[in-house]
Amino acid sequence: MADLSINFAGIRAPNPFWLASAPPTNSGPQIHRAFEHGWGGAVWKTIGAPVLNISNRYGGLSLGGQRLLAINNVELISDRPLDVNLREIAEVKRMWPDRAVIVSAMVDADPKAWRDIVMMIEDTGADGIELNYGCPQGMSERGMGAAVGQVPEMCQLNTHWVTSVTKLPVIVKLTPNVTHITDPAHAALAGGANALSLINTINSIMRVDLDTLQITPNIGGRGTHGGYAGPAVKPIALNMLTELMTDAEVLRSGVPICGMGGIQTWRDAAEFLLLGATSLQVCTAAMHYGYRIVEDMIDGLSNWMDDKGFATIYDVAGRSLPQVSTFGQLDLSYQAVARINPDKCIQCNLCYVACNDTAHQCIDLYAEGGIRVDPGFDPRMNGKGVADTRPTPVVREPDCVGCALCVNVCPVDGCIEMVSVPSGRESVTWDQLTAQRPAVTQQWAAMEAYRDEAGIEIH
């Protein structure tokens, strides 16, 4: 079997699956149960400044009968007494010496406050410290959490206050509520961070109840912004991870990155690893399905790695990064078209509607006998007032621009595929075109002339 063990900034764990700092890591008994199910590590729910939590705390996003595609929370950091948390952290680490026990911390932006909490954490025997610079609600209004993570100077300063007084590995957890994720990352590195983790939750208001007109979650007739997480945020997390893993300064630093944001299955985990993460954190999925989901994650990732011939996590990490490009480096001559498998098609004709109404009008409908029908054709009739089978969609390939909208709306896996076809044009990128023929990229008349020359038809 593949070796899933990791060494993340000096923190060792039997596998890369860690529970994120959140309700699933609120107490020692919880983390004991999690470790019994196989989690490789846990980041303790953030300790630090005193708080009072409220209720209701969560709002969920459901769609098409699927629950908790995303969760919005207005919960704060741990409201349990500091001494209780510290005692339980020490107990967990003593009982589970092979697991990663990291303590998330958040205090006022003051060097003494940071030194005091760091000394307490060190006394527990924990493996590392994660600095919570991401919490977007409640704590940010008090000058902590995202209020630090959104200001690079504060991020660097607070990180320095910690790294200057501890030998424990320091992980800086980045907020996604910024314009460029590289800015706080650079600041954390300048402050001496040993590792980075991302993403924390995204600032959001989940919804408004149309019956009561109240914001959800409703806290005594009022609502507020909270942190958005769960499967729906995964593409955002993957993009921000990729931004860091392709940034020259981050690469020069050599610091490892812990990826999180929407990981629910081993497949999600593999995607984060392929884009450069070397450890992973999970929260919403555990809240939805319980701690045992890690068993499927471990088995699935291990089997996939065996099938692909990857022996270790580090054989996987970053393998897809060479494919990452800017738009200006993409081949403008590449051409793909959609093809519909008639044997799999259920004649729902969602592809036709999507293409005809909102894309490039290159899918036609054909009734039995190969008769093309008009857009206003009633699919229940054959034109003679007799019930008939629904028409079949067929792509008009010469007019297909390869947008792939039809593939994404089709409810049948593998029914529509994007197939590469020769374009008949020489390979060229936008950057090359800009350098070689700048007028083409700056003037519409020159662009139209270039299209005529290259045989590019726009319809």
Side-chain angles (χ1 to χ4, degrees):
M1 292 180 61
D3 179 6
L4 301 188
S5 65
I6 61 169
N7 182 337
F8 184 82
I11 302 171
R12 297 182 180 276
N15 62 65
F17 297 108
W18 299 354
L19 284 168
S21 169
T25 60
N26 188 53
S27 70
Q30 286 175 279
I31 296 177
H32 281 300
R33 290 200 304 275
F35 285 170
E36 287 172 351
H37 285 297
W39 290 91
V43 183
W44 208 275
K45 184 172 171 61
T46 306
I47 63 173
V51 299
L52 284 173
N53 271 302
I54 45 80
S55 60
N56 301 300
R57 301 181 187 180
Y58 306 126
L61 175 66
S62 301
L63 185 64
Q66 185 173 347
R67 306 286 288 182
L68 222 58
L69 285 173
I71 191 171
N72 168 287
N73 88 86
V74 292
E75 183 165 303
L76 303 180
I77 66 175
S78 178
D79 53 11
R80 303 168 74 235
L82 190 57
D83 62 328
V84 173
N85 274 312
L86 294 167
R87 183 180 69 249
E88 292 182 2
I89 293 167
E91 291 171 353
V92 168
K93 186 57 195 177
R94 185 170 61 250
M95 294 184 66
W96 297 92
D98 67 325
R99 307 303 167 93
V101 178
I102 296 95
V103 180
S104 175
M106 180 194 298
V107 295
D108 290 323
D110 174 77
K112 183 180 184 304
W114 276 116
R115 185 182 186 282
D116 289 346
I117 196 72
V118 166
M119 296 301 102
M120 295 177 195
I121 293 171
E122 284 190 343
D123 288 343
T124 67
D127 297 298
I129 303 171
E130 184 178 79
L131 307 184
N132 184 344
Y133 294 164
C135 188
Q137 77 282 347
M139 307 308 293
S140 55
E141 288 89 333
R142 294 168 55 180
M144 293 175 271
V148 173
Q150 291 170 327
V151 182
E153 294 80 6
M154 290 298 293
C155 180
Q156 178 178 343
L157 184 60
N158 280 258
T159 303
H160 172 71
W161 287 336
V162 175
T163 57
S164 63
V165 297
T166 184
K167 294 183 179 179
L168 287 178
V170 175
I171 306 166
V172 170
K173 189 173 188 179
L174 302 176
T175 174
N177 301 300
V178 292
T179 304
H180 300 292
I181 194 66
T182 51
D183 291 342
H186 294 165
L189 296 176
N194 304 109
L196 303 172
S197 61
L198 80 164
I199 60 174
N200 208 315
T201 54
I202 300 170
N203 220 355
S204 62
I205 287 180
M206 183 55 78
R207 66 184 181 90
V208 178
D209 188 305
L210 299 185
D211 293 323
T212 66
L213 311 187
Q214 295 288 335
I215 294 172
T216 298
N218 180 342
I219 301 107
R222 293 194 170 216
T224 186
H225 63 96
Y228 189 71
V233 311
K234 189 183 79 170
I236 299 169
L238 290 176
N239 177 63
M240 290 191 167
L241 170 63
T242 302
E243 286 189 64
L244 293 191
M245 291 305 303
T246 54
D247 178 78
E249 188 169 334
V250 173
L251 292 176
R252 278 196 302 270
S253 74
V255 302
I257 296 179
C258 181
M260 72 192 88
I263 297 175
Q264 184 164 283
T265 69
W266 69 264
R267 292 178 178 274
D268 300 326
E271 292 180 53
F272 277 83
L273 295 171
L274 287 166
L275 289 175
T278 49
S279 70
L280 310 163
Q281 291 186 34
V282 179
C283 174
T284 306
M287 295 175 73
H288 194 179
Y289 300 108
Y291 294 138
R292 290 193 65 178
I293 59 164
V294 76
E295 298 169 9
D296 289 337
M297 290 180 174
I298 291 170
D299 288 344
L301 182 63
S302 179
N303 291 336
W304 174 78
M305 288 174 61
D306 288 343
D307 290 343
K308 291 293 185 181
F310 296 133
T312 71
I313 293 295
Y314 301 96
D315 294 331
V316 181
R319 289 294 287 265
S320 293
L321 287 173
Q323 300 175 40
V324 175
S325 173
T326 63
F327 180 86
Q329 297 171 332
L330 300 176
D331 186 358
L332 297 172
S333 70
Y334 175 75
Q335 182 64 52
V337 298
R339 286 184 184 164
I340 302 171
N341 184 338
D343 295 329
K344 291 186 176 182
C345 181
I346 60 174
Q347 284 81 45
C348 69
N349 297 334
L350 284 173
C351 60
Y352 169 78
V353 173
C355 184
N356 193 54
D357 287 355
T358 65
H360 296 274
Q361 302 80 48
C362 62
I363 296 180
D364 299 318
L365 294 178
Y366 285 85
E368 282 190 354
I371 302 172
R372 180 181 172 184
V373 297
D374 295 329
F377 174 78
D378 185 343
R380 299 166 298 174
M381 298 297 198
N382 64 3
K384 301 177 182 179
V386 180
D388 204 348
T389 57
R390 293 177 66 86
T392 299
V394 178
V395 177
R396 200 166 60 255
E397 290 191 11
D399 293 328
C400 178
V401 302
C403 73
L405 176 61
C406 57
V407 176
N408 287 284
V409 302
C410 180
V412 181
D413 288 342
C415 179
I416 307 179
E417 294 182 334
M418 297 305 297
V419 180
S420 298
V421 296
S423 68
R425 305 195 302 271
E426 291 186 8
S427 177
V428 65
T429 68
W430 183 262
D431 288 349
Q432 291 171 334
L433 197 59
T434 300
Q436 297 166 7
R437 303 176 64 171
V440 172
T441 63
Q442 298 170 5
Q443 303 168 12
W444 268 111
M447 172 61 77
E448 291 173 2
Y450 174 77
R451 287 173 174 172
D452 290 339
E453 173 190 323
I456 302 172
E457 181 180 350
I458 304 296
H459 72 283

